[in-house]
């Protein structure tokens, strides 16, 4: 690649963490959209809070570790860890201010207007409601609470990560000196009780059947906190919350038993360094100083909040009974054409490759693929990778049943899936007890690939059936995340699938592959070669185009290659939900690149890659984003879309998303994201369109279905 270094200048790159904060701002922007139903808007505020928690526990924590270790290497945007933390602090405070402004000024008044009241002050309750709350405290809350005083004999207690607590200053007279003594105490708000407590309607709209009144649990405890410290005078009491460093550090080479080592490290999460303290904006200064000193929190890591701490409780309001008019109508995933409910899934796959597009189409065929294999007497073996699964996973149950039925079952359960470690440990043990061969990931790598292989004995001989996907084998998130998958019994892919599992379970590393490309060994090279090929075509005056959809783009080498391709004249269209470290509109560098981010009712999660290749189009899907971790530190799979009809379906997905002018935000040269001007244009909401297409009556023959719904009248543009 000519003059390669010119595409690596720091000013050509956006910082990863600041780009993520822009993504979370786009999520928050949905909560500010007046066209969205009220409870849906509350949901997006909750998601923003949850996202920010994880960001601090992992990304901010990692940067702080770099500062402590005196790690001075610059990121791709030329920033030190210290500089990143300073800028993150500024942008986070702006985001939180916007978040609470949205909640206080827009959403709370709208809730009130719809007769849903979150009582902000105990004094605002009627006498009837106060009596109810006091009884609720005595009967349901008081027995659960554990007040903890701090003095010479009782050290400051462990404050658990992400828990909500109430701190108080207490005074009492010393019997010997008769002097007033001020002491500190804290009590944890019980996580096992509902934080949002419904109380009897007793206001102006009390007679309306839709009227609902709520008060937060911490307000109830704060009001009654004197009952926890008898013979003391409560000077003040305020809620607070902390974030701790939750990034696991595991020396896998030294760990004799990875399972035990991860279990040990999980316990340490509760003791991690405090990296963020949230308090009420009206907190007593002396109380805040005590918390700051005891928790060892720097001033810049204290966030004073104008409203309830931890807005994730708003997700609980989303399902309020009698409020259907304040939500979108629930969507029911449609059946997959070519797979008859209750039919033999292996016979369906024999007729041709089948595309799955979730959540528009049901995830049931993936579950039934494993279920049928578990009970089919002709199935000899089932092999699967599991990264994140649901709490009551039907796939886990089917794999266990298969082992009990005498099948050879091999499962790689990735124990290092962040924040799912405990869940995965439970499932791994259950599978082992059922007789499955369980692999606990690979040393130094996360297995992020999504692949399932069923080996079946048939009249013609052994046939291999494979499912490859862009998303996890999680039946719960499959209703919320947009993902694609393919069922195939293509012989070459079946051979590659066998090689994948042999590599994961043993030491077999094939010298060549038929169709699949794997990280961390070959995938980066594959992508670079595909990009360079488009660049070569452009220089020769041939048609050249790249369309890529993914969650995140932050790999310096890939971005530099895209810049080089753009400079050569390749038209590049990127659909990137989250982090994007690439900049658009740089003269001579990225003028041929456009980036859009779609944030809607479903979480965009699929990874799709289209290369025009001088008219001999190639389409790929896979589990990997264009990030260093995916290309260099994870086991990922990229698979080609070989079936021509399915290739057209996948191209249609890309085309509709490129036409989206309702939920898409477009990246501007100054680094901001803007919604598309819809004036005078036909509105295209890609997620709604896919729901409508999947909901149409499906003909029996797949080719008719493809012609009616998926084949575009024109090429991707």
């Amino acid at each position: 690649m000519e003059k390669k270094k010119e595409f690596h200048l720091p000013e050509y790159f956006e910082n990863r963490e600041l780009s993520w904060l822009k993504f979370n701002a786009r999520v928050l922007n949905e909560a500010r959209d007046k066209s969205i139903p009220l409870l849906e808007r509350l949901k997006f505020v909750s998601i923003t809070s949850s996202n920010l928690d994880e960001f601090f526990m992992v990304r901010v924590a990692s940067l702080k570790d770099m500062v402590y270790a005196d790690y001075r290497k610059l990121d791709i945007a030329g920033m030190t860890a210290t500089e990143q933390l300073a800028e993150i602090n500024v942008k986070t405070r702006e985001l939180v201010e916007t978040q609470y402004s949205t909640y206080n000024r827009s959403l709370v008044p709208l809730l009130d207007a719809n007769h849903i009241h979150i009582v902000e002050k105990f004094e605002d309750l009627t006498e009837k409601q106060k009596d109810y709350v006091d009884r609720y405290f005595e009967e349901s809350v008081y027995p659960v609470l554990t007040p903890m005083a701090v003095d010479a004999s009782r050290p400051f207690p462990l404050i658990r990560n992400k828990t909500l607590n109430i701190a108080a200053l207490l005074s009492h007279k010393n019997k010997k000196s008769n002097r007033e003594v001020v002491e500190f105490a804290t009590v944890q708000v019980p996580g096992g009780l509902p934080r949002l407590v419904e109380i009897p309607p007793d206001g102006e709209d009390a007679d309306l059947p839709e009227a609902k009144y709520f008060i937060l649990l911490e307000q109830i405890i704060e009001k009654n906190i004197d009952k926890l410290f008898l013979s003391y005078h409560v000077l003040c009491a305020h809620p607070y919350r902390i974030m701790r460093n939750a990034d696991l550090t595991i020396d896998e080479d030294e760990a004799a038993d990875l399972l035990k080592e991860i279990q040990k490290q999980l316990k340490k999460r509760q003791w991690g360094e405090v990296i963020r303290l949230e308090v009420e904006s009206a907190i007593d200064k002396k109380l805040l100083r005590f918390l700051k000193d005891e928790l060892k929190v720097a001033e810049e890591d204290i966030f004073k909040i104008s409203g309830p701490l931890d807005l994730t409780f708003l997700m609980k309001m989303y399902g309020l009974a009698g409020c259907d008019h304040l939500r979108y109508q629930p969507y029911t995933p449609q059946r997959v054409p070519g797979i008859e409910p209750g039919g033999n899934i292996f016979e369906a796959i024999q007729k041709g490759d089948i595309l799955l597009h979730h959540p528009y189409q049901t995830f049931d065929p993936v579950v039934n693929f494993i279920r049928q294999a578990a009970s089919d007497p002709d199935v000899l073996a089932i092999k699967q990778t599991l990264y994140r699964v649901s709490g009551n996973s039907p796939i886990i149950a089917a794999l266990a049943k298969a082992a009990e039925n005498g099948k050879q079952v091999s499962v790689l359960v990735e124990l290092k899936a962040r924040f799912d470690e405990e869940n995965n440990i439970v499932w791994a043990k259950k599978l082992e007890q059922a007789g499955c061969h369980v692999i606990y990931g690979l040393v130094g790598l996360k297995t992020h690939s999504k692949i399932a292989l069923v080996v079946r004995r048939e009249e013609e001989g052994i046939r291999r059936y494979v499912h490859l996907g862009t998303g996890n084998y999680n039946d719960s998130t499959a209703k919320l995340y947009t993902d694609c998958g393919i069922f195939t019994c293509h012989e070459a892919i079946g051979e590659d699938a066998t090689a994948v599992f042999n590599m994961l379970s043993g030491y077999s590393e094939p010298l060549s592959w038929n169709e699949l490309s794997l990280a961390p060994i070959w995938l980066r090279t594959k992508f670079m070669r595909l990009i360079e090929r488009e660049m070569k075509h452009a220089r020769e005056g041939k048609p050249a185009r790249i369309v890529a959809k993914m969650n995140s783009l932050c790999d310096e080498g890939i971005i530099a290659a895209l810049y080089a391709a753009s400079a050569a004249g390749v038209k590049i269209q990127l659909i990137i939900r989250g982090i994007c470290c690439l900049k658009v509109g740089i003269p001579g560098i990225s003028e041929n690149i456009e980036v859009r981010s779609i944030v809607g009712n479903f979480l965009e999660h699929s990874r799709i890659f289209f290369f025009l290749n001088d008219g001999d189009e190639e389409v790929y899907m896979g589990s990997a984003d264009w990030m260093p971790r995916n290309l260099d530190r994870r086991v990922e799979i990229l698979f080609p879309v070989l079936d021509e009809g399915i290739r057209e379906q996948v191209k249609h997905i890309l085309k509709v998303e490129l036409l989206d002018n309702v939920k898409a935000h477009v990246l501007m040269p100054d680094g901001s994201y803007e919604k598309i001007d819809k004036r005078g244009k036909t509105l295209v909401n890609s997620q709604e369109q896919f729901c409508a297409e999947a909901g149409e009556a499906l003909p029996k023959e797949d080719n008719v279905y493809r012609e009616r719904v998926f084949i575009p009248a024109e090429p991707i543009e």
Side-chain angles (χ1 to χ4, degrees):
M1 194 178 292
E2 296 179 11
K3 299 180 182 178
K4 187 173 182 180
K5 289 186 179 179
E6 73 180 47
F7 301 109
H8 289 262
L9 298 178
E11 57 263 35
Y12 293 164
F13 296 87
E14 171 79 272
N15 171 261
R16 168 190 166 142
E17 317 308 342
L18 298 179
S19 179
W20 183 90
L21 285 170
K22 290 179 181 179
F23 158 65
N24 212 29
R26 296 196 293 278
V27 176
L28 181 58
N29 193 47
E30 293 297 292
R32 298 167 64 81
D33 187 338
K34 296 178 182 178
S35 69
I36 295 176
L38 177 56
L39 294 184
E40 303 288 346
R41 294 172 67 181
L42 290 179
K43 180 180 71 175
F44 281 110
V45 174
S46 174
I47 292 170
T48 307
S49 289
S50 178
N51 286 348
L52 202 57
D53 284 351
E54 183 171 334
F55 176 72
F56 266 80
M57 288 189 295
V58 178
R59 301 304 307 175
V60 173
S62 177
L63 287 171
K64 284 183 173 289
D65 287 342
M66 290 181 190
V67 172
Y68 298 148
D70 199 25
Y71 182 82
R72 300 185 183 184
K73 185 178 178 181
L74 305 181
D75 80 316
I76 59 175
M79 299 178 72
T80 65
T82 300
E83 290 170 337
Q84 291 179 65
L85 285 171
E87 191 64 19
I88 286 169
N89 197 290
V90 171
K91 297 301 182 184
T92 300
R93 291 182 187 280
E94 292 176 359
L95 180 69
V96 171
E97 184 177 344
T98 303
Q99 182 186 37
Y100 277 88
S101 173
T102 303
Y103 173 76
N104 291 320
R105 297 181 185 177
S106 298
L107 301 181
V108 169
L110 284 171
L111 286 169
D112 288 335
N114 283 275
H115 312 290
I116 302 171
H117 309 286
I118 301 176
V119 179
E120 295 183 6
K121 298 178 181 178
F122 191 85
E123 294 75 24
D124 294 337
L125 297 174
T126 66
E127 290 304 316
K128 176 183 174 182
Q129 289 172 328
K130 288 178 181 178
D131 289 342
Y132 176 88
V133 168
D134 287 340
R135 285 199 311 274
Y136 181 81
F137 176 81
E138 293 288 349
E139 296 171 5
S140 301
V141 182
Y142 179 78
V144 184
L145 299 178
T146 304
M148 292 177 284
V150 175
D151 54 28
S153 63
R154 290 170 289 195
F156 193 85
L158 168 67
I159 306 301
R160 300 180 73 86
N161 187 32
K162 292 204 301 181
T163 57
L164 191 60
N165 301 269
I166 296 176
L169 289 180
L170 314 173
S171 69
H172 71 102
K173 283 192 175 182
N174 185 297
K175 293 180 180 178
K176 294 182 179 179
S177 64
N178 203 35
R179 293 174 56 190
E180 198 74 16
V181 178
V182 177
E183 294 181 354
F184 172 87
T186 185
V187 58
Q188 181 177 318
V189 177
L193 295 177
R195 185 173 172 204
L196 201 62
V197 180
E198 186 164 6
I199 55 181
D202 193 35
E204 294 180 0
D205 56 1
D207 294 333
L208 297 176
E210 64 269 28
K212 299 178 188 297
Y213 284 77
F214 297 93
I215 189 170
L216 293 172
L217 181 58
E218 63 266 28
Q219 292 174 283
I220 298 176
I221 298 172
E222 190 177 330
K223 162 63 174 59
N224 291 276
I225 200 165
D226 58 315
K227 297 173 183 175
L228 301 175
F229 303 100
L230 301 178
S231 74
Y232 282 78
H233 175 59
V234 179
L235 299 175
C236 63
H238 297 276
Y240 69 99
R241 183 172 178 262
I242 61 170
M243 293 284 107
R244 291 187 181 274
N245 185 332
D247 203 16
L248 294 184
T249 302
I250 300 170
D251 187 346
E252 296 181 49
D253 292 321
E254 296 297 324
D257 188 323
L258 185 60
L259 178 65
K260 291 182 179 178
E261 181 63 22
I262 288 179
Q263 287 176 313
K264 183 172 72 175
Q265 292 293 331
L266 284 174
K267 295 177 182 178
K268 292 183 179 180
R269 268 192 180 152
Q270 298 300 335
W271 292 94
E273 175 204 5
V274 177
I275 55 173
R276 184 181 181 207
L277 169 63
E278 294 177 314
V279 297
E280 275 187 334
S281 56
I283 190 170
D284 179 86
K285 291 181 180 179
K286 186 174 181 180
L287 181 58
L288 177 58
R289 190 164 56 249
F290 186 90
L291 285 171
K292 177 185 172 183
D293 293 343
E294 288 294 334
L295 294 168
K296 297 179 175 60
V297 184
E299 187 68 35
E300 62 266 23
D301 296 326
I302 300 173
F303 285 72
K304 295 181 179 179
I305 305 297
S306 300
L309 307 188
D310 185 13
L311 292 176
T312 58
F313 78 88
L314 294 174
M315 190 64 81
K316 301 295 183 183
M317 298 192 71
Y318 181 74
L320 282 179
C323 297
D324 291 347
H325 62 294
L326 300 178
R327 288 184 291 265
Y328 285 127
Q329 287 188 345
Y331 175 74
T332 302
Q334 303 299 298
R335 77 171 181 85
V336 178
I339 300 179
E340 294 291 337
N344 187 306
I345 198 164
F346 303 112
E347 291 179 0
I349 299 171
Q350 287 174 30
K351 295 176 183 177
D353 292 358
I354 299 171
L355 175 71
L356 308 166
H357 192 196
H358 314 299
Y360 314 107
Q361 295 171 342
T362 177
F363 191 70
D364 289 349
V366 180
V367 176
N368 291 336
F369 180 61
I370 306 300
R371 278 179 174 164
Q372 288 190 25
S375 57
D376 189 331
D378 293 323
V379 168
L380 304 176
I382 304 173
K383 303 182 181 184
Q384 190 168 13
T385 59
L386 296 177
Y387 190 73
R388 300 187 195 275
V389 293
S390 62
N392 190 23
S393 172
I395 285 181
I396 295 286
L399 290 168
K401 186 69 174 177
E404 292 166 2
N405 288 343
K407 316 292 184 189
Q408 174 87 25
V409 180
S410 300
V411 186
L412 188 146
V413 180
E414 182 48 74
L415 296 184
K416 300 184 289 293
R418 184 175 285 130
F419 301 121
D420 268 343
E421 299 97 342
E422 292 180 87
N423 190 43
N424 286 3
I425 287 171
V426 171
W427 291 129
K429 289 181 175 179
K430 180 176 179 179
L431 288 169
E432 278 191 327
Q433 291 168 359
C436 300
H437 176 61
V438 178
I439 307 163
Y440 295 128
L442 302 178
V443 173
L445 299 171
K446 280 187 181 180
T447 302
H448 190 248
S449 54
K450 300 34 168 124
I451 182 171
L453 168 66
V454 171
V455 181
R456 195 167 184 259
R457 179 180 52 223
E458 297 176 359
E459 290 184 7
E460 301 82 2
I462 296 295
R463 195 191 302 265
R464 285 171 281 210
Y465 296 84
V466 182
H467 173 266
L468 293 159
T470 68
N472 300 307
Y473 289 106
N474 187 316
D475 55 295
S476 294
T477 58
K479 298 171 184 173
L480 303 171
Y481 291 14
T482 72
D483 274 304
C484 293
I486 284 181
F487 281 128
T488 184
C489 57
H490 193 285
E491 186 174 346
I493 290 181
E495 290 177 359
D496 283 353
T498 296
V500 167
F501 285 103
N502 287 344
M503 187 177 72
L504 293 175
S505 62
Y507 297 100
S508 172
E509 189 175 300
L511 298 177
S512 62
W513 296 77
N514 298 312
E515 300 291 350
L516 303 184
S517 300
L518 270 70
I521 307 173
W522 303 278
L523 190 52
R524 175 182 291 278
T525 303
K526 173 78 172 182
F527 278 130
M528 295 294 280
R529 191 167 63 245
L530 290 169
I531 295 170
E532 289 172 4
R533 186 181 65 187
E534 293 299 316
M535 183 171 63
K536 178 175 179 290
H537 288 323
R539 286 176 174 161
E540 294 171 353
K542 299 176 182 178
R545 179 178 298 150
I546 298 170
V547 182
K549 171 178 163 57
M550 67 200 78
N551 297 328
S552 299
L553 167 61
C554 62
D555 185 84
E556 181 180 0
I558 294 287
I559 293 173
L562 292 173
Y563 285 158
S566 168
V570 180
K571 183 178 180 182
I572 301 171
Q573 296 167 297
L574 304 175
I575 307 165
I576 303 172
R577 184 196 80 217
I579 299 166
C580 179
C581 296
L582 176 147
K583 292 184 177 182
V584 300
I586 305 173
I589 302 294
S590 59
E591 292 170 305
N592 287 314
I593 304 177
E594 62 180 63
V595 177
R596 60 180 50 219
S597 169
I598 296 175
V599 179
N601 197 36
F602 301 127
L603 182 90
E604 295 290 333
H605 193 252
S606 51
R607 289 96 168 181
I608 304 172
F609 307 93
F610 167 88
F611 299 90
L612 183 56
N613 189 28
D614 189 24
D616 187 14
E617 301 171 346
E618 292 184 6
V619 178
Y620 299 86
M621 298 193 292
S623 57
D625 295 314
W626 282 347
M627 304 177 74
R629 71 184 189 189
N630 296 96
L631 301 176
D632 301 327
R633 302 190 297 276
R634 289 186 172 186
V635 178
E636 307 275 12
I637 295 177
L638 180 76
F639 54 95
V641 180
L642 301 175
D643 181 272
E644 184 177 350
I646 292 180
R647 196 155 54 238
E648 293 299 326
Q649 295 179 46
V650 176
K651 284 168 55 183
H652 175 74
I653 293 171
L654 292 176
K655 180 184 177 183
V656 172
E657 296 202 345
L658 290 173
L659 292 173
D660 192 314
N661 55 16
V662 176
K663 293 300 180 183
H665 298 72
V666 177
L667 177 61
M668 308 306 290
D670 65 357
S672 64
Y673 283 81
E674 293 185 5
K675 281 286 190 82
I676 298 169
D677 186 352
K678 299 185 283 290
R679 288 176 294 184
K681 297 177 182 176
T682 301
L683 298 184
V684 178
N685 181 325
S686 57
Q687 294 188 354
E688 286 187 359
Q689 181 164 333
F690 293 140
C691 287
E693 290 177 354
E696 291 185 7
L698 305 180
K700 293 182 179 180
E701 295 182 6
D702 288 351
N703 63 333
V704 176
Y705 174 70
R706 289 173 185 156
E707 289 171 4
R708 281 185 56 206
V709 179
F710 282 104
I711 293 184
E714 53 195 349
I716 292 175
E717 58 183 24

